[in-house]
Amino acid sequence: PRTALTGHAILIGYGRVGGLVGAALKDAARPFLVIEDADKTLARLKADGIETVAGNAANTEVFAAANPEGATRLILAIPNAFEAGQIVLRARAANPNINVVARAHSDAEVEHLKGLGANTVIMGEREIARGIVDEVLGHKSRVAEPSAA
Ligand code: AMP
């Protein structure tokens, strides 16, 4: 069944990354739903009273059930950038105005996802390095930006 939510965020993946994002959205009372394909995680979401769409977000019907046309944001918290890229294309086709935030694990993945229309891409390993540099050298230190291609 299609969600009744509008003006919401679609959060894809509720693991180490999406679980923390979802908890913050819930605390901030932002309307959102989660697309997840792992049964155990779906049970945890249900127990937490969070709306879910069960299945692989790369599947056409699963994604459509999240009402991308009426959503304001898409948050891709899955680790596979190729799969995430396919979902970005589908979201853009359904809703040219949706704001897309995606997760990546290399500078090449960042470029790939931006090229397909993601507004913001967060590179996990860079954020880990930032945390380590802050811890070791203090908060004024900066992690180098990727060199221009
Ligand atoms: P983590 O890497 O710990 O943040 O976990 C990623 C989460 O995303 C896991 O809970 C996966 O079940 C979920 N996931 C990965 N790919 C998909 C997908 N295509 N559709 C729905 N959920 C996914």
Side-chain angles (χ1 to χ4, degrees), residues 98-119:
I98 198 165
N99 182 278
V100 179
V101 184
R103 163 186 177 184
H105 298 282
S106 70
D107 292 332
E109 288 182 357
V110 172
E111 290 313 308
H112 174 69
L113 290 164
K114 282 192 172 166
L116 294 178
N119 298 83

Side-chain angles (χ1 to χ4, degrees), residues 5-10 25 28-33 72:
L5 286 176
T6 56
H8 59 299
I10 300 170
L25 292 176
R30 298 288 180 95
F32 74 104
L33 61 76
T72 52

Side-chain angles (χ1 to χ4, degrees), residues 44-116:
R44 184 158 56 93
L45 281 156
K46 207 171 217 176
D48 288 348
I50 294 170
E51 183 172 339
T52 58
V53 174
N56 188 323
N59 175 285
T60 313
E61 282 113 66
V62 169
F63 189 67
N67 187 22
E69 295 84 358
T72 52
R73 242 187 226 285
L74 171 67
I75 305 169
L76 285 150
I78 59 175
N80 184 322
F82 178 73
E83 209 167 46
Q86 293 178 309
I87 299 165
V88 172
L89 286 177
R90 188 162 295 153
R92 277 268 160 269
N95 181 348
N97 296 319
I98 198 165
N99 182 278
V100 179
V101 184
R103 163 186 177 184
H105 298 282
S106 70
D107 292 332
E109 288 182 357
V110 172
E111 290 313 308
H112 174 69
L113 290 164
K114 282 192 172 166
L116 294 178

